[in-house]
Amino acid sequence: MTVDLESGICVFSPGLRLTVTVENGTRGEEIHLHPGGQGYWLARSIERLGAPVVLCATVGGEVGDVLVPLLESQTGIELVALRQSAPSPVSMYDGRSGARALIARSEPSPIDRHAVDELFSLTLAHAIGRGCCVLAGNIDTGVVPTSFYGRLCADLSAVGVPIITDVHGPELTAILDEHPIQLVKMSDEDLREDGVVRDDTDQGLIAAVSDLADRVPNDLVVTRGPDRPAVARLDGLWYTVSPPRLAAVDWRGAGDAMAGAMAVAYLRGFSGVDALRFGAAAGAASVTRRGLASLDCELVDALLPRVRVDAARDAARALSA
């Protein structure tokens, strides 16, 4: 993938989420407010790795009034926000015990067809001329119709913008039915949630990943949590990738950090294997910090030589590792 290194990356996210967390501090309880949601975490990892990034998303209501200045004050992400009257969703967590327990969660409302058209136009306009467009999922938000993803990929392909996706479910089906994607990243948990893994055995996962690989013409990465290597098919060849297992503050968001880092790697002209190694190092680095995808680029660089990438004969051999 040949790109303009100055052009940066566009991230599409149907909506943003406000996260509110109460934790124990040195002077009693502390309450922390942060932007959240997969699209934000993808954009955050890209920004932390030094690449220019624009995030196209919806925000709404009084929650949106809080989200926008929070994002602008805490990051260097360029936010292109479509304003809605309905409030953006909120997740509240209790972290006082050391674990992070969800105590309340509001859900967003789907946007109307005029807003869908406006969000589509905004995203396409800001993606044109970028090094690539990264698509976050719709399952957590349900803000846009599934067909949005297929249309967006068709038009991004028409104007020559490479596409990276970290989605699953009907949105992935809509995408793969339209145009080839530069990179499809997902997790084995996503495959199980979608019901395409028939049982809990390795054979069930092998069958699901093999079927998926038949539908993905370019690069494919499937993560398998903290305990097993991720697997990848790059340029038709299969690999396993194992970063150092670091003491985790929070495992959540490691996959988003990996996808964002691979987008940065492609932007910099890395080869498939080098991009995979860079993504794995970023995923490993992200678990060492509070705040999902708030990774440290110096740690990523230090981890790179310690990421193990092994060739595998086929999907079965890779997934048996």
Side-chain angles (χ1 to χ4, degrees):
M1 180 168 69
T2 303
V3 298
D4 176 4
L5 296 179
E6 300 298 322
S7 60
I9 295 168
C10 178
V11 175
F12 165 71
S13 176
L16 299 180
R17 180 176 288 273
L18 176 66
T19 65
V20 182
T21 306
V22 56
E23 295 179 345
N24 290 321
T26 56
R27 294 189 172 184
E29 295 176 341
E30 297 177 350
I31 297 175
H32 301 275
L33 305 179
H34 295 287
Q38 186 197 22
Y40 169 75
W41 297 323
L42 285 164
R44 180 65 162 154
S45 64
I46 292 166
E47 184 249 350
R48 292 286 293 182
L49 290 168
V53 58
V54 57
L55 172 61
C56 299
T58 61
V59 298
E62 60 185 4
V63 180
D65 293 338
V66 174
L67 270 172
V68 172
L70 270 179
L71 187 147
E72 291 175 345
S73 65
Q74 294 180 5
T75 77
I77 297 168
E78 178 187 349
L79 176 64
V80 177
L82 177 64
R83 287 278 190 169
Q84 296 294 299
S85 58
S88 295
V90 181
S91 293
M92 300 182 66
Y93 298 93
D94 186 346
R96 288 172 292 184
S97 68
R100 196 168 182 262
L102 179 67
I103 56 177
R105 174 186 170 97
S106 65
E107 300 300 335
S109 301
I111 60 178
D112 64 39
R113 60 188 180 89
H114 298 295
V116 167
D117 288 344
E118 186 174 354
L119 180 61
F120 187 96
S121 296
L122 282 173
T123 303
L124 187 59
H126 284 273
I128 291 174
R130 305 282 173 172
C132 66
C133 185
V134 183
L135 308 185
N138 192 38
I139 289 177
D140 181 53
T141 59
V143 169
V144 299
T146 299
S147 59
F148 187 104
Y149 282 81
R151 291 196 301 118
L152 182 59
C153 286
D155 287 355
L156 288 170
S157 296
V159 295
V161 177
I163 305 163
I164 292 173
T165 72
D166 194 352
V167 308
H168 65 104
E171 285 75 25
L172 180 62
T173 298
I175 287 169
L176 295 180
D177 285 345
E178 289 295 333
H179 288 276
I181 310 301
Q182 174 67 32
L183 169 67
V184 172
K185 181 266 166 190
M186 62 190 311
S187 69
D188 62 345
E189 183 180 354
D190 295 335
L191 290 167
R192 297 182 197 282
E193 184 178 325
D194 294 345
V196 298
V197 178
R198 299 179 182 89
D199 52 48
D200 290 331
T201 66
D202 280 350
Q203 291 304 314
L205 183 59
I206 288 168
V209 173
S210 298
D211 289 345
L212 177 63
D214 289 340
R215 301 167 58 207
V216 176
N218 293 320
D219 294 346
L220 169 66
V221 173
V222 179
T223 57
R224 296 189 289 171
D227 298 323
R228 303 193 69 180
V231 301
R233 193 201 59 195
L234 310 172
D235 298 322
L237 302 176
W238 286 93
Y239 300 90
T240 61
V241 55
S242 304
R245 184 170 180 179
L246 306 179
V249 174
D250 195 339
W251 282 105
R252 297 171 312 112
D256 297 323
M258 182 180 193
M262 289 191 71
V264 174
Y266 286 134
L267 188 75
R268 294 174 179 171
F270 288 15
S271 68
V273 171
D274 288 339
L276 179 65
R277 183 175 283 110
F278 187 72
S286 74
V287 309
T288 66
R289 298 170 64 98
R290 292 174 176 83
L292 275 61
S294 61
L295 48 84
D296 181 87
C297 60
E298 291 185 5
L299 178 56
V300 175
D301 289 339
L303 290 173
L304 267 176
R306 293 166 172 80
V307 175
R308 178 175 174 178
V309 177
D310 295 313
R313 189 175 69 186
D314 51 31
R317 292 293 182 93
L319 288 159
S320 297

